[in-house]
Amino acid sequence: MPIEFERKKYELKPMLRENNKPKQILSLQGFRAILFLLIFVFHTSMIGNVSESTLYRALCKGGGTEGVAFFFILSGFVEALHSRKEALNLKNVLQICVRKAKRFYTVHIFFLLVTIPTMIYMVLTEPAYSFIKFVLNALLLQSWFPDEQIWLSYNSVTWFLSTLVFLCLFIIPLHHVCSYVEQKTSAVKIYAALLAADCLMTFAVAFLLGSRCKNVNYYLYAFPPIRLLDYFSGFVLGRTFVLQQNNKTKISAATYWEVVAVGVMVLYLLLFPYVPVPFVRAAIYQPGAAFVIYVIAAGAGKISRFLSNPLMVKLGEGSLYYMMSHQVIIRYCSLIHKQLIKREITSCEIVWIIIAFASTLISRPIYEGLCLKFQRIKSLI
């Protein structure tokens, strides 16, 4: 998905590769790493008494919902950068879903299996129920079940993949709708109206379900259709970006807006404890995420330049692996920490957080090496 950047002293401009491959914006790749970090810090609550600390409650507790919301909107945005011409039929829709799922299915199954030893007591005491949950996870169907014991079972972050597969069903239809819209001279205005309508609908759904539904933690967070609103807003935003990408911005002005974007993300973290649950599950993030993603995608300021450096891009490219692996690794670190405390051996939570983070990063080349060896063995058989 490569967009490269032609950098000048006073202005920056996204530039498409000539080989017509899907576009990639380097600053957004680096931004993925930031979103993963938000989610990782949120999940460190599993280690010891981290969740009870003042710092965690004030600044980290909302990182999970914020990171997830941004990721869904970003997924729609990135998909909108493609130029798809497939006919709108069931075969093509399913083919795209399968291709998308293949990108992450192996790592999903790998960490699903690796999670089992950490839940051995549950597996032994409830073998039938555990097997059903395992099958639903393996088939990426868990996000369709409101029971928290199912959609958050095993490697609980994989509900995100389950919902993402559903969203892939709308890729071709959305491209066809946008192709029709862009035949109009007022396409950008239409997209702006659609974004506003989508945002209002998201808040309306949060308000209505919040007052009538008991399980808002599921229906306003993991239920696949609710995330279609996020994905749609990201897609429309992406098409707007494509139409407007020739606009030039001075570095000084772009940096100002990028600082504002960082402020928006921090503000969300600070507001999390005070916002009613129905809105904080997803709705509150949609307008801010649209603004932040668009500003970062423009790649015209100093913060985008930092996010576009090779290290951040490399980390961003591994964000899917890190998403699938980090909670399993944190779970193991948490178990070791608990056992050390039981045996009255000194164990520091901060140290285990650092170990978990380092292990998440280090394990990626190890995993990729194992995959290569497996592929070589498979080719010889």
Side-chain angles (χ1 to χ4, degrees), residues 46-47 115 118-119 152-156 326-336:
M46 298 168 63
I47 300 176
T115 309
T118 69
M119 313 183 77
L152 285 178
S153 60
Y154 293 96
N155 186 14
S156 61
H326 79 278
Q327 195 173 35
V328 179
I329 292 171
I330 289 175
R331 193 186 298 274
Y332 275 99
C333 289
S334 175
L335 290 173
I336 296 170

Side-chain angles (χ1 to χ4, degrees), residues 43 119 133 137 142-143 145-159 217-218 221-222 281 327 331:
H43 284 137
M119 313 183 77
K133 290 189 289 186
N137 267 266
Q142 67 270 40
S143 66
F145 294 82
D147 183 355
E148 193 173 277
Q149 296 300 315
I150 295 178
W151 70 273
L152 285 178
S153 60
Y154 293 96
N155 186 14
S156 61
V157 295
T158 56
W159 72 263
N217 285 335
Y218 166 75
Y221 185 63
R281 298 308 285 172
Q327 195 173 35
R331 193 186 298 274

Side-chain angles (χ1 to χ4, degrees), residues 183-204:
Q183 293 174 13
K184 313 293 182 182
T185 55
S186 57
V188 173
K189 291 181 180 179
I190 294 173
Y191 284 152
L194 287 173
L195 278 170
D198 187 71
C199 186
L200 289 173
M201 185 181 297
T202 304
F203 274 86

Side-chain angles (χ1 to χ4, degrees), residues 110-264:
F110 178 82
F111 282 103
L112 176 59
L113 295 172
V114 172
T115 309
I116 293 176
T118 69
M119 313 183 77
I120 195 67
Y121 178 78
M122 178 198 73
V123 173
L124 294 176
T125 55
E126 299 178 323
Y129 189 39
S130 299
F131 178 74
I132 291 171
K133 290 189 289 186
F134 180 87
V135 171
L136 291 174
N137 267 266
L139 296 176
L140 292 172
L141 295 173
Q142 67 270 40
S143 66
W144 290 97
F145 294 82
D147 183 355
E148 193 173 277
Q149 296 300 315
I150 295 178
W151 70 273
L152 285 178
S153 60
Y154 293 96
N155 186 14
S156 61
V157 295
T158 56
W159 72 263
F160 178 89
L161 301 182
S162 176
T163 298
L164 195 60
V165 170
F166 166 74
L167 298 178
C168 290
L169 293 172
F170 296 87
I171 289 176
I172 293 180
L174 284 173
H175 275 286
H176 277 264
V177 169
C178 288
S179 293
Y180 174 76
V181 170
E182 288 168 22
Q183 293 174 13
K184 313 293 182 182
T185 55
S186 57
V188 173
K189 291 181 180 179
I190 294 173
Y191 284 152
L194 287 173
L195 278 170
D198 187 71
C199 186
L200 289 173
M201 185 181 297
T202 304
F203 274 86
V205 170
F207 177 77
L208 293 172
L209 283 183
S211 59
R212 293 172 172 80
C213 178
K214 293 181 180 180
N215 194 2
V216 294
N217 285 335
Y218 166 75
Y219 284 106
L220 292 176
Y221 185 63
F223 185 48
I226 201 68
R227 288 301 182 176
L228 182 58
L229 294 171
D230 288 336
Y231 192 81
F232 177 78
S233 69
F235 195 96
V236 171
L237 185 72
R239 293 311 305 168
T240 304
F241 177 81
V242 170
L243 295 178
Q244 296 288 304
Q245 68 181 5
N246 289 326
N247 292 350
K248 300 175 182 179
T249 308
K250 291 184 178 180
I251 291 179
S252 58
T255 301
Y256 167 79
W257 288 115
E258 288 174 2
V259 170
V260 173
V262 172
V264 168

